[in-house]
Amino acid sequence: MSTDTAEAVDRQRYRKITQVISGQPTSDGAGVRLIRYIGSQSLPELDPFLLLDFFESDDPDDYIAGFPSHPHRGFETVTYLLAGKMRHEDNAGHGGVIEAGGIQWMTAGRGIIHSEMPEQENGRLAGFQLWVNLPASDKLCNPAYHEYPKDQIPLEHRAEGVDVTVMAGATDQGTIGPVKAVVTKPLYLDVSLSPGTSLVESIPEGHAGFVFVIDGKISIRSDGASNSVSARQLGVLSAGNSVHIEAEDADSRVLLVAAQVLSEPIARYGPFVMNTSAEIEQAIRDFNTGQF
Ligand code: MN
């Protein structure tokens, strides 16, 4: 390898913000109010991410109806709760309760039918649901779960005022999240920054990524440029091999999520995401004839 190549490999190419999304209020399930970021008109998808919903309310009317029995095929659903409790049960007998700070990475694969219902009648419920696509080779795999409560998820103290909760992937300091062996090699971090502090973190080339600001306000810095992302906004990251996140003048909390781009055709119909319309028709037939 020539010296020039080595330098090119080592050089940090900071990702920039290409789009800031404020989200589209909607409802889903049996009438859960939520804000849709990915899967909305302004950002139909961010390969391999198909959907990102954020829900947050202390009014049970906004969430109590939950997400009764529904199918999925061809992708993964990732639930990360910030507050409250959600009970899930599927048609294979798997069930449990996700609590605040817990994550569930569910690989629907060839098909699952499940419900996701609030395990509370009042109080605050808040969290995310992310859909991550599967490559054609894995769309019909067996369903699987990676499910971890808060106390099984490592918290890395990176620097004074900089703390990183690692759900999936490995940080530059070597902290490894419990969600492993996911085909798109995801990074899923929850980062807390006190005012003026920064996190610089590698993101592999070939991964698509975004930040979602839960609290505060951040800047994404790159070669002299800087873009702000405010609370309850999603910032789409450009290509690059690292990201520099700086908290502005408030305590800030931000999700940093990335995964491998699939670059495959997407055929999408509600809870089925396949590569071709024939595969969608097959999914509907299989669901209607009890094959899930
Ligand atoms: Mn679901």
Side-chain angles (χ1 to χ4, degrees), residues 70-72 77 106 114 116 129 131:
H70 61 277
H72 295 286
T77 70
M106 184 188 85
H114 76 162
E116 301 157 284
Q129 184 158 106
W131 289 9

Side-chain angles (χ1 to χ4, degrees), residues 125-145:
L125 182 71
F128 297 91
Q129 184 158 106
L130 175 70
W131 289 9
V132 185
N133 208 357
L134 287 167
S137 55
D138 288 72
K139 281 189 175 295
L140 298 181
C141 69
N142 289 328
Y145 290 89

Side-chain angles (χ1 to χ4, degrees), residues 50-110:
L50 301 162
L51 176 141
L52 179 72
D53 286 340
F54 177 61
F55 48 92
E56 175 187 41
S57 181
D58 45 25
D59 179 353
D61 288 347
D62 288 341
Y63 61 71
I64 203 74
F67 301 86
S69 185
H70 61 277
H72 295 286
R73 172 179 278 186
F75 61 100
E76 306 185 275
T77 70
V78 182
T79 303
Y80 179 47
L81 273 195
L82 304 181
K85 298 181 183 185
M86 290 282 278
R87 172 173 293 278
H88 63 95
E89 286 173 353
D90 77 13
N91 61 327
H94 185 90
V97 176
I98 308 168
E99 301 195 26
I103 191 160
Q104 181 197 62
W105 198 293
M106 184 188 85
T107 306
R110 64 178 151 70

Side-chain angles (χ1 to χ4, degrees), residues 103-218:
I103 191 160
Q104 181 197 62
W105 198 293
M106 184 188 85
T107 306
R110 64 178 151 70
I112 210 160
I113 301 168
H114 76 162
S115 60
E116 301 157 284
M117 301 297 288
E119 182 77 351
Q120 62 192 58
E121 292 179 349
N122 50 54
R124 182 164 179 258
L125 182 71
F128 297 91
Q129 184 158 106
L130 175 70
W131 289 9
V132 185
N133 208 357
L134 287 167
S137 55
D138 288 72
K139 281 189 175 295
L140 298 181
C141 69
N142 289 328
Y145 290 89
H146 305 270
E147 205 169 295
Y148 299 94
K150 183 182 173 71
D151 64 8
Q152 291 177 26
I153 301 173
L155 174 63
E156 176 188 300
H157 181 62
R158 175 68 63 97
E160 189 59 38
V162 182
D163 291 286
V164 184
T165 302
V166 185
M167 266 70 69
T171 69
D172 290 354
Q173 302 282 308
T175 307
I176 296 172
V179 176
K180 291 173 184 153
V182 173
V183 64
T184 48
K185 300 182 168 54
L187 182 70
Y188 196 119
L189 308 178
D190 183 342
V191 182
S192 293
L193 297 164
S194 60
T197 62
S198 286
L199 175 77
V200 175
E201 184 66 29
S202 299
I203 302 177
E205 297 272 11
H207 274 43
F210 65 87
V211 290
F212 181 95
V213 179
I214 299 169
D215 295 312
K217 189 177 185 184
I218 60 150

